[in-house]
Each structure stands twice: as C-alpha cells, then as structure tokens.
Amino acid sequence: MSGRIIDAGYHLLDRQIIDFDSKLGGKVDDVELTFPQDGSAPYISDLYTGTGAYLSRIAPRLGRWLESIAKRLLQEEKPNVVWFGTVQRVQSDIEVSVSVNDLPTHRVEQWTAQNIISHIPGASSASE
Amino acid sequence: MRLSELIHKPVVDVNGVKLGFLQDVRMQQDGPILGTWGAAFRASSLLIVPHKWLSQLGWEAEHTCGPWVIRALTSLLNRKALRVPWTAVANCDGPTVQLNIAQADIKNVE
Amino acid sequence: MVHAGPARTLGPYQSKADRTAETVDSYVQTALLSIELADNTRVNLNTLSVQLDDAATGASGAHNSFDTVEPPSEIADQLQEQLDRLLSQVDGQLSALATDAHRHHISELAQHRQPLQDLSQQIKQLENQLS
Amino acid sequence: MKKVLSTTLGILTAVGGFVDIGDLVASSATGARFGMALAWAVILGLIGIVVFADMAGRVAALSHRAVFDLIRERLGPRVGLANLLASTFVNFLTLMAEIGGIALAIELATSVNYLLWIPLCALAIWLIVWRVKFETMERVFGLAGLALLISVLAVFQLHPDWNHLTSQAIHAAKPHSESWPSYWYWAISLFASAVTPYEVFFFSSGGIEEHWTKEDLSEEQANVFVGFPIGALLALALMALTAIVLMPLQIQVDHLSQVTQPVSLALGKLGIAALIFGFVACTAGAALEAAFSSGYAVAQYFGWPWGKLQPPRQAPRFHLVVMVATFLGMALLLTGIDPIKVTEYSLIFSAAALPLTYLPILMIASDPEYMHEQVNGRIRNFMGTVFLFIVSLAAVAAIPLMILTKGGA
C-alpha cells in the first residue's frame, strides 16, 4: 500500500487552485479520469477549471455547449484543463507549479482587466 | 471520463440489484509518473452510500467533522455505506456503475 | 381618488381607522417633541426641519391611505367623516409647522403647540371609542 | 492605543450587524413599542455572532481560507450556489440600503433632500474600496463609528429609572397593545440582523487581508470580544433611549429623524452633531462591509483573486462585482425606494443564507485538515450546535412572520 491515499471528490473537487506564488487561479471544477488501454484502474490525469467545466456539473447541456464554443474560439483541444503533472502539493488547496497567468481562468480575468478595470485611474497602483 | 459524471451515479451489482449511489472514488498514489508530481492517483476503491443528498449538504460518510450530534446523525444515515474495491467494477460509462460481483459476496474493505 | 376597495364589514374598517389614528397621533407627538426641543434650543435648524418634514409627510401619507378605503356603511361613513376632519386639521398644522421651520421662523413654532395638543387629545378620544 | 487599534476590524464588522441603517431604526422602533422587552434578542444575537465570527476568524487564521471559499468546498457547487445567490442578494440589498442610509444621515445635518446625496455617497463608497488600503479603511470607519457611543452617554444623562428598564428587559413581557406575531417578528429581525452572514464573510476575509496566522489568534479573539459587544451596546442604548423618551409619548419610530430626538433632549445640539457623525460613519462602515462582502462571496465561490492584497488590475472581477453592485444600488435608490424598508426585505433572503453559512463553518472549524491542532473544543462545538439550531429556527420563522405582520406593522 505505497503512496498517499485521497478521495478524489472530497480532496480535489471544488478546491482552490493556487500557483507557486500562492496567487489564486480558480477552483477545481472537475477531475479527468483516464482509463488505460490495458483495462487497469483509471488514474487522474488532469484537473478541469473554468466556467464551462463548472456549468457542466450544474447544467450539463449548457456547460458542454459553452465548452465547445471555447474550443472553437481558442483552437485548443482542451482549453480548460490543467495537467496533473504540474501539481506541486495537494492540501486544503491545490498548488500548481505553473504561474497563474498560464492557468485557463486567467483569460477571462485578463480580458476583464484590460477591457474594463485598466481604463479606470489607479488600476495598477497599490492602494495607499 | 469526468469524475462529476461518476459521482452520485447509481451502483448496480452483477444481478442488477441497486446498492446505492457512488459518493466518491478513493485514490492511491501508484499510477503512472506524471511530470513533477510523481506517481498519479489511481482508483483503488469506491464508496456506495444509500442517499446522495447527504453529501450535497456536506454530510459525507467518513469525512464529516463537527459536533458529535452532527457526526452521529451522519454515521446513522450512512450506516448502510459500502466500500468496494475498484477491481469489482465491470464498467461505469453507462447510466449506472455496473459491478461484476453479487451483493452477497461484497466484503467491506478499508 | 383611487379606491383601494371597500372594507366589507365595520370591523376591519374600524381597525383601519384605529391604526390610522394611532399613526397620525404618533406624528403629532413627534412634532410636539420637536417644538419643545426647538424652544429649548436643543436641536439645530437642519435636523429640526427634517423632523417636521417627516412628520408632515408621514401624517398626510397615513391620511391618504385611510381615505382610499371606502366606508362600508352609514356608521362607518360617520366615523370616516369625523376622523377625516381631524386628520385634515393635523395636515394643515404640520405643513404650516414644516414651512415655518424651513423659513427659520423658530419663534412662530410655539403657536402650533396648543392646536396640536388639542388635536392629539381628540384623536386619542376617538381611538378610545374605537378600541 | 495599539490594543484598541487592533480591534477595529471587529468593531467595523459589528457595525454592520448592530447599527446599520436598518438596525438604527429597528432598535429605536422596538424600544418605542416594546420598551426593553426585546433586549434579549440583541443579547442572543450577540452571543450567536461571537460564537460564529470567532470560528470563522480562527478558520481564516489557521487555513488562510475565507468563508465562501469553504462553503462551496463543503456543500458542493449546487447547494453552494443557492447560498451564493441568497447571500449576494442580501449583500446587494444591504449595500443599497446603507448608501441610502448615509444620504439620510447627511440630510439630517444639511436638510438637503437625501436623494441628492446618493450619487456622491455611492461614488465615495466605491472609491474607498478601489483606492484605500484595507487597514486604513478599517481603522478610520471602525473608530469613527464609536461616535455613536454618545447614545450611551445620553441614556445616563436622562437619569432613567434603571429598575424599570432592567425589569422590562428581564421579564421581556409583550405589551398588551402589541400582538404576538409582531413581538416575534421584531425579535427575529433584531436577532437575524445581528448574525447576518456578511459579517462572517467580512470578518474572515478581513482576517486574511490582515495576514492573520496562528500567532494572531489572540488579536482575532480581541476583535471578537471587543468589537461585537460594542455593537450590541450601541443597539441597546438606542433601544433604551426611545423606551425612556418616545414610548410614554406613544411615538412610533419609522424615520431616522425621530431617532435623534431622545439624544437631542438629553445632550442638545452637541449631542446631535456627534450622533449624526456616528450615523454617517456607521452607515458608511456598513456600506463598505456590504460592498466588500458582495465581492468576497462571488470571487471566493469561483476562486477568482479577491481583496485588497493586490492592485485592482490583479483582482479585476472582484472589483467589477463591487462596482456593479454599488452603482446598480445607487440607480435603484434614485427611483425613490425607501432605504429603511429595503433592509427588512433582505431578512427574507438571509433566512436561506443563515443555516447554509453556519453549518459549513461549524464543520470546518472541527476539521484537523484545516485547523491542525486548533480544532473546535467541546464548548465551541456545543455553542455552535445550539446556535445553528436557533439560527435555523429563526430562518424558518422569518418569512411567515413577515407575511403575517405585513413587515412588522
């Protein structure tokens, strides 16, 4: 019985993702189970994060529709996925080794920052 | 397949007897190596519970913390929970999780 | 005037009249307290005029919502006429009071004390008959 | 002085629960109608919020996770979403009411119609969230709110019959002129407003904004045991003032201007000046608390960056939520909605949010994965369970009572 034991739903689903600099990068909205060809037990290969994956759990049709749009728009096979290989630590939150700017949720965050927030004076300076 | 499709799916034994709902999949860190993480988490067993709404209120079998009255109520409501090794799963991409053993032969694993 | 619909029996109409009288009397007492505070220069002008404005609008609001209810019978008609007369006098006094306050005629406020006290007395008598 | 300064987060949080615009009128209105008979509801609310704010503060200090982040984790997306919608609606209604409250308080000082002040107040609240450091905002509004302590001075100045007041409070008897439904409606609205969920969102998120760790548990405790009792004291003082002055005159309180009369009688113009300054500070503090909580709840539920730890550019959606809530509130207020009535309607939605907020907190505070060795002891768990039951009872009774009494009429 080597290695750590977790319950996937309890320890991963809806947990906060943080990057190496402990910046917040969205929630784990779903977990990808990959079934190996040899029929052995499935393993966790990726984490899903983003509105599409989130909605798929509450309103599946709406969520999948949104995801298909994101795929076409961003020309990426799995736009809202974080490879489990980049995970550093699984505790009460999930730390990944990439920067938050490379995480899927960053696109909408970036869009809001550029198109709305930065037009207002004082957007980039720390408050005093 | 996504974990959210599995969670709360009804679990059926080899004779079609409904055993309850899948609350969660226990994972053991002995899968293939993934990047800097190391060995991936591989499914080792699954937990079958009688009512799915319990975990929606945060009253999950085996994980509920809090005052004893809440813990007592949760374990009472989940007393029929069953933990079955993943090897007992025949297939799980249909509308139910189909097991390859009968209810009688299920022995509760840790 | 838009009628909010007749109150079928005397009971509900009477309790509506009783509640209206109670509310208006509360505003009259509020105004009387403001006058006393102004007399002893214990309240600044701005707060005083807001107090008296609120009392005036509050009382006339209660009066209007009472008038929208159609009295169901002759006895109720008599009650409505009696209360309506009192409420109209109250409205007159309170709006004059509020105007005086806005014009900073503080010395003139005291002249409204006696009429308001009489009106409050009459409203209380009417309330005792009703409940 | 350092000690007092370090408890301003608790004071500011308590302001939202005990002396926001709804409570300023509600405490005064219940004093004028029931005397001190409903004092027990304020005390019960105080104990309840102390129990849960302390737990939420400890969770924040130990796990560095704020309340709404944990609510979704514990209850899952669907039930978590139901709580998010209910809480966000309460936060929004409260924010709107508080902006109106600031304007009403300024109107008392200037007699210029409150509607004219609303755009300015909304802009000021948004600007503070946008530019001012969290600690600075907390110090300024936490301390400024203490101006309301003038009401405590006024009570003593009136030399009341203390035995009569205390016996009213102890017997908690319903005056014969009042009906039981309205007695219980006002009791529940006083209790529910003392334990409103956004206090716990604000307090726990504030703890993280202040970088609380295990070493800051004593500061967290000071905030809870200084801040909230002061809030309750202010609410009880306002209740006593109207019980002493307005109840004998059979004056019913439904305007902020009436709340100033007892202090004016006791302390004259200086008293009113301090009281109105206290009104502005408290309603502004409550508005900031509601504005921040609107952003906190939504951002923490979705895992977005939140709070004042970084410039607005790096927490864009958090600031967007606060901005939309503030200016939408302003727009609705300009249509003439009565700010004081708005807080009563928010009671309905807090009915749903109350149990779904405090159950997860109670569970996580006993979970070693989050609290390590600081898990709840027997006393905290016992008090937590008792108040979870009381809060759920109040939540269930709130809506029917509101309908029965047509809003406490």
Side-chain angles (χ1 to χ4, degrees):
Chain A
M1 289 284 273
S2 69
R4 186 171 162 205
I5 291 177
I6 63 164
D7 282 338
Y10 179 76
H11 287 108
L12 295 175
L13 270 183
D14 298 310
R15 295 284 175 143
Q16 175 74 53
I17 298 175
I18 59 174
D19 74 358
F20 59 89
D21 191 9
S22 64
K23 290 224 174 338
L24 306 184
K27 287 260 184 176
V28 174
D29 291 314
D30 218 324
V31 172
E32 178 66 16
L33 294 174
T34 304
F35 288 75
Q37 267 61 31
D38 61 10
S40 61
Y43 64 90
I44 298 176
S45 53
D46 306 279
L47 300 175
Y48 284 85
T49 177
T51 322
Y54 164 76
L55 269 179
S56 303
R57 289 171 63 199
I58 297 187
R61 268 194 316 284
L62 187 62
R64 294 292 157 79
W65 174 69
L66 205 63
E67 280 180 332
S68 59
I69 292 177
K71 282 200 183 88
R72 250 184 281 111
L73 216 64
L74 303 163
Q75 304 305 335
E76 281 173 32
E77 179 36 32
K78 287 187 174 178
N80 50 10
V81 147
V82 176
W83 183 44
F84 205 88
T86 62
V87 172
Q88 282 302 101
R89 197 172 41 76
V90 170
Q91 280 177 339
S92 72
D93 45 28
I94 315 291
E95 186 185 328
V96 290
S97 55
V98 297
S99 144
V100 80
N101 301 342
D102 309 331
L103 288 174
T105 51
H106 190 66
R107 286 186 206 91
V108 181
E109 206 76 51
Q110 193 66 13
W111 184 88
T112 321
Q114 269 148 7
N115 297 301
I116 303 171
I117 300 295
S118 55
H119 295 307
I120 304 170
S124 351
S125 53
S127 40
E128 71 281 353
Chain B
M1 165 183 262
R2 299 187 191 197
L3 181 65
S4 59
E5 294 159 48
L6 266 180
I7 288 189
H8 293 155
K9 214 177 216 179
V11 181
V12 173
D13 83 347
V14 69
N15 311 326
V17 171
K18 186 171 178 224
L19 304 171
F21 300 93
L22 185 143
Q23 176 183 293
D24 210 339
V25 180
R26 179 146 294 173
M27 297 278 178
Q28 200 177 301
Q29 210 178 342
D30 59 6
I33 303 299
L34 291 176
T36 56
W37 166 254
F41 283 111
R42 213 159 53 80
S44 63
S45 67
L46 54 124
L47 185 65
I48 308 165
V49 286
H51 314 289
K52 58 181 177 183
W53 55 268
L54 274 173
S55 59
Q56 281 171 341
L57 270 180
W59 296 40
E60 295 192 16
E62 293 177 11
H63 282 301
T64 299
C65 299
W68 64 267
V69 60
I70 289 184
R71 290 201 310 275
L73 205 56
T74 317
S75 42
L76 179 71
L77 289 167
N78 281 313
R79 64 191 179 290
K80 291 215 235 46
L82 271 170
R83 181 166 289 287
V84 173
W86 185 268
T87 49
V89 173
N91 74 64
C92 57
D93 32 27
T96 65
V97 175
Q98 182 62 51
L99 299 186
N100 52 27
I101 48 172
Q103 183 175 24
D105 315 332
I106 293 176
K107 15 185 223 343
N108 228 332
V109 294
E110 246 332 285
Chain C
M1 254 190 325
V2 168
H3 279 281
R8 252 155 305 290
T9 58
L10 187 57
Y13 189 77
Q14 235 178 350
S15 67
K16 168 78 178 172
D18 186 35
R19 259 203 324 283
T20 307
E22 209 183 289
T23 308
V24 171
D25 184 43
S26 155
Y27 285 120
V28 170
Q29 290 299 331
T30 305
L32 282 168
L33 181 53
S34 290
I35 295 170
E36 189 197 329
L37 293 171
D39 273 0
N40 308 323
T41 64
R42 302 190 74 79
V43 59
N44 52 1
L45 284 185
N46 291 336
T47 309
L48 176 68
S49 33
V50 175
Q51 282 169 358
L52 295 176
D53 282 345
D54 287 346
T57 44
S60 66
H63 184 185
N64 293 344
S65 81
F66 173 65
D67 283 351
T68 58
V69 178
E70 211 183 302
S73 60
E74 293 74 24
I75 316 156
D77 264 343
Q78 204 206 351
L79 168 62
Q80 202 237 1
E81 191 268 334
Q82 200 184 357
L83 184 55
D84 203 58
R85 196 166 29 77
L86 282 178
L87 298 187
S88 309
Q89 289 174 43
V90 166
D91 290 342
Q93 287 294 333
L94 290 183
S95 56
L97 200 56
T99 325
D100 282 347
H102 274 292
R103 294 210 191 96
H104 301 299
H105 300 160
I106 302 310
S107 53
E108 269 133 62
L109 295 185
Q111 65 181 340
H112 297 284
R113 175 181 284 127
Q114 194 50 46
L116 280 174
Q117 278 167 346
D118 298 344
L119 282 169
S120 177
Q121 216 51 39
Q122 291 171 47
I123 293 175
K124 285 192 169 70
Q125 272 154 16
L126 188 62
E127 272 184 82
N128 296 343
Q129 286 159 17
L130 286 174
S131 52
Chain D
M1 191 49 190
K2 175 79 182 67
K3 228 22 201 139
V4 173
L5 273 186
S6 70
T7 62
T8 44
L9 176 63
I11 298 169
L12 181 57
T13 311
V15 157
F18 291 99
V19 276
D20 73 343
I21 182 66
D23 298 315
L24 289 175
V25 174
S27 308
S28 309
T30 45
R33 284 174 65 170
F34 301 92
M36 294 305 282
L38 288 178
W40 62 270
V42 176
I43 306 289
L44 199 64
L46 169 64
I47 302 169
I49 193 63
V50 161
V51 166
F52 281 114
D54 175 55
M55 253 184 244
R58 289 162 56 82
V59 167
L62 268 304
S63 70
H64 307 301
R65 308 286 300 285
V67 167
F68 228 99
D69 172 6
L70 299 169
I71 283 177
R72 169 175 168 181
E73 206 173 282
R74 182 60 55 230
L75 299 181
R78 206 171 278 106
V79 177
L81 183 63
N83 189 356
L84 176 66
L85 294 176
S87 303
T88 303
F89 215 70
V90 171
N91 293 343
F92 172 68
L93 290 178
T94 309
L95 172 58
M96 187 163 89
E98 301 311 329
I99 292 174
I102 308 169
L104 283 171
I106 298 176
E107 176 189 46
L108 278 178
T110 61
S111 86
V112 170
N113 188 300
Y114 84 99
L115 284 173
L116 297 176
W117 295 110
I118 284 180
L120 191 68
C121 296
L123 187 67
I125 292 299
W126 169 71
L127 211 57
I128 292 170
V129 173
W130 180 259
R131 284 301 297 147
V132 177
K133 226 156 82 76
F134 191 86
E135 282 82 11
T136 319
M137 177 271 298
E138 176 210 296
R139 299 272 188 276
V140 167
F141 286 92
L143 293 177
L146 293 180
L148 219 48
L149 285 170
I150 193 82
S151 54
V152 178
L153 183 63
V155 173
F156 286 96
Q157 190 66 18
L158 289 170
H159 305 300
D161 171 353
W162 290 104
N163 305 347
H164 178 57
L165 285 182
T166 38
S167 80
Q168 265 183 347
I170 291 164
H171 294 112
K174 173 185 82 57
H176 54 77
S177 60
E178 294 294 343
S179 69
W180 276 111
S182 79
Y183 178 91
W184 284 107
Y185 169 78
W186 285 104
I188 286 180
S189 69
L190 283 176
F191 172 76
S193 80
V195 293
T196 34
Y198 66 72
E199 287 175 85
V200 177
F201 304 152
F202 185 74
F203 190 66
S204 66
S205 308
I208 292 171
E209 300 254 23
E210 295 218 352
H211 309 293
W212 279 352
T213 61
K214 276 201 294 298
E215 284 69 37
D216 304 304
L217 283 182
S218 62
E219 184 184 336
E220 180 266 333
Q221 209 107 48
N223 269 284
V224 167
F225 289 104
V226 168
F228 293 101
I230 289 180
L233 173 70
L234 295 177
L236 290 174
L238 289 172
M239 187 186 280
L241 283 173
T242 49
I244 300 161
V245 176
L246 301 188
M247 188 170 190
L249 302 170
Q250 292 172 337
I251 292 180
Q252 297 161 5
V253 174
D254 35 45
H255 288 89
L256 195 59
S257 56
Q258 290 169 301
V259 179
T260 61
Q261 290 186 316
V263 171
S264 168
L265 193 63
L267 299 167
K269 292 182 179 175
L270 259 183
I272 288 193
L275 186 74
I276 293 176
F277 177 80
F279 283 170
V280 174
C282 287
T283 44
L288 285 165
E289 190 172 340
F292 269 105
S293 298
S294 316
Y296 286 149
V298 175
Q300 287 163 13
Y301 177 84
F302 290 110
W304 304 335
W306 53 268
K308 300 290 295 192
L309 304 170
Q310 63 270 313
R313 239 186 93 72
Q314 282 159 24
R317 286 187 278 190
F318 165 78
H319 281 282
L320 185 63
V321 168
V322 173
M323 230 184 293
V324 167
T326 308
F327 293 110
L328 184 61
M330 176 189 83
L332 284 173
L333 274 170
L334 291 175
T335 63
I337 296 176
D338 171 2
I340 292 165
K341 270 272 170 281
V342 165
T343 47
E344 280 172 28
Y345 298 134
S346 70
L347 180 65
I348 307 175
F349 301 100
S350 68
L354 282 168
L356 291 179
T357 300
Y358 290 129
L359 174 64
I361 291 177
L362 189 52
M363 300 169 96
I364 283 172
S366 318
D367 190 333
E369 271 183 40
Y370 298 84
M371 305 299 283
H372 316 300
E373 71 292 347
Q374 292 284 351
V375 283
N376 266 3
R378 255 200 311 282
I379 303 160
R380 279 204 173 85
N381 269 341
F382 172 74
M383 294 296 286
T385 314
V386 165
F387 272 89
L388 184 65
F389 178 71
I390 297 174
V391 158
S392 311
L393 220 63
V396 166
I399 301 176
L401 272 174
M402 180 165 226
I403 297 163
L404 207 60
T405 62
K406 290 194 272 318

